[in-house]
Amino acid sequence: MLATTLDKHVKSGAWCVQLRYRYIASHKVFTSSRFSLDAGAACFRDRQHADAMSARFTLGTTIWIRYDPLSPEKALILPTALGVPDILMALFALLVLLAGAFVLTGKTARRPG
């Protein structure tokens, strides 16, 4: 991690964490500031949330990134771990998928008699 800054956007009032990091890909050194595919992923209405995000990426911190092997200059930060909300959402999606498959197959419970 090279630098972390915190800016307040005038129009939205959101606090946005700006990151700058260096990485090596294909034996070359690249620098990027892209956080995510979503431009607003590092923006928060509450300053405390922005400060907490900023604290995760202090100067000198080693971070994991993803980059495009065909265009290694295109990179973004890879979140370190899945959180509880991520796991719960995946389980909910699985339940909905299974319920949908059950409904589409038209199988119903048969009552004896």
Side-chain angles (χ1 to χ4, degrees):
M1 182 64 55
L2 296 175
T4 305
T5 57
L6 189 61
D7 298 318
K8 185 172 184 179
H9 288 220
V10 176
K11 288 184 180 181
S12 67
W15 290 93
C16 296
V17 178
Q18 302 293 323
L19 307 172
R20 189 145 181 83
Y21 53 92
R22 183 179 301 142
Y23 61 99
I24 299 172
S26 302
H27 306 290
K28 293 181 184 176
V29 177
F30 296 93
T31 303
S32 181
S33 59
R34 191 166 183 192
F35 184 83
S36 153
L37 293 175
D38 178 12
C43 293
F44 306 90
R45 292 211 177 271
D46 186 6
R47 169 95 191 235
Q48 290 174 327
H49 289 104
D51 286 338
M53 174 66 81
S54 181
R56 287 181 58 196
F57 301 103
T58 58
L59 183 65
T61 300
T62 300
I63 57 172
W64 291 95
I65 63 160
R66 288 183 187 242
Y67 68 91
D68 181 353
L70 300 176
S71 300
E73 69 279 358
K74 296 178 183 175
L76 52 89
I77 292 178
L78 177 65
T80 55
L82 293 176
V84 173
D86 300 318
I87 294 168
L88 291 175
M89 187 57 101
L91 289 174
F92 177 72
L94 180 62
L95 287 173
V96 170
L97 177 69
L98 292 174
F102 183 76
V103 169
L104 289 175
T105 58
K107 294 183 180 180
T108 58
R110 293 184 184 175
R111 292 186 182 180

